[in-house]
Amino acid sequence: MGKEGLPFEDNSFTLIIGENILSDCFSLAQTINELHRVLKNDGILITAEPNVQYYRHVLKLLQGTWDETLEEGKTRFHFFTPSSLASLLNNSSFLIRVLSPIETDSTDSFPLSEDGFVHINRYHIGPLSQEEHRIFLIKRFLTVASKATGGNSG
């Protein structure tokens, strides 16, 4: 979504499904407000977003070859981890129903050693908990959120 609002009346949709809705938008606050505005009270938002904490993105950052497209060919304006997006939506009059990885790598590609570190070439990342290690393997995640009733995201 650009600088303009969505061309729909309030409470128009029961379901909004999209990919990179939030990472690609110009104004995050405006986009969240508009999604909230056009969703019906029992409406559901489903979005798939890239995980900025995915190990390949972290390695590129460490190597000085960061790519703001996150390997998807289009510049991202906003970057999220699963927990940061959940916090953002929960604080914006949405309730998270599902937060799930949809594209992950195997632990073989980013193995966690007994000392709790991941050793890749000259980089030693850690110590990582099992949960932190799991998040490093998630390339994309799916978020399903419902419109919270009794409030507005503004």
Side-chain angles (χ1 to χ4, degrees), residues 36-48:
H36 193 274
R37 180 185 67 78
V38 300
L39 269 177
K40 292 182 179 181
N41 284 339
D42 58 350
I44 299 290
L45 168 67
I46 301 174
T47 182

Side-chain angles (χ1 to χ4, degrees), residues 21-91:
I21 294 173
L22 300 172
S23 60
D24 287 359
C25 70
F26 180 75
S27 169
L28 191 55
Q30 180 187 12
T31 299
I32 289 172
N33 286 339
E34 283 295 287
L35 291 169
H36 193 274
R37 180 185 67 78
V38 300
L39 269 177
K40 292 182 179 181
N41 284 339
D42 58 350
I44 299 290
L45 168 67
I46 301 174
T47 182
E49 301 287 342
N51 176 19
V52 71
Q53 206 170 12
Y54 176 54
Y55 79 94
R56 289 185 186 170
H57 305 323
V58 171
L59 284 175
K60 284 184 173 191
L61 182 62
L62 291 172
Q63 295 166 344
T65 58
W66 169 255
D67 176 12
E68 67 277 353
T69 70
L70 300 182
E71 301 175 348
E72 294 183 7
K74 185 176 180 186
T75 300
R76 303 281 170 240
F77 294 107
H78 308 283
F79 301 94
F80 303 102
T81 64
S83 62
S84 71
L85 184 56
S87 292
L88 175 70
L89 291 174
N90 280 331
N91 289 321

Side-chain angles (χ1 to χ4, degrees), residues 115-136:
D115 64 359
F117 283 78
V118 175
H119 305 282
I120 298 179
N121 301 323
R122 66 177 188 223
Y123 302 105
H124 308 284
I125 302 170
L128 301 174
S129 68
Q130 291 293 326
E131 178 62 12
E132 290 168 328
H133 181 244
R134 185 186 73 78
I135 293 192
F136 271 114

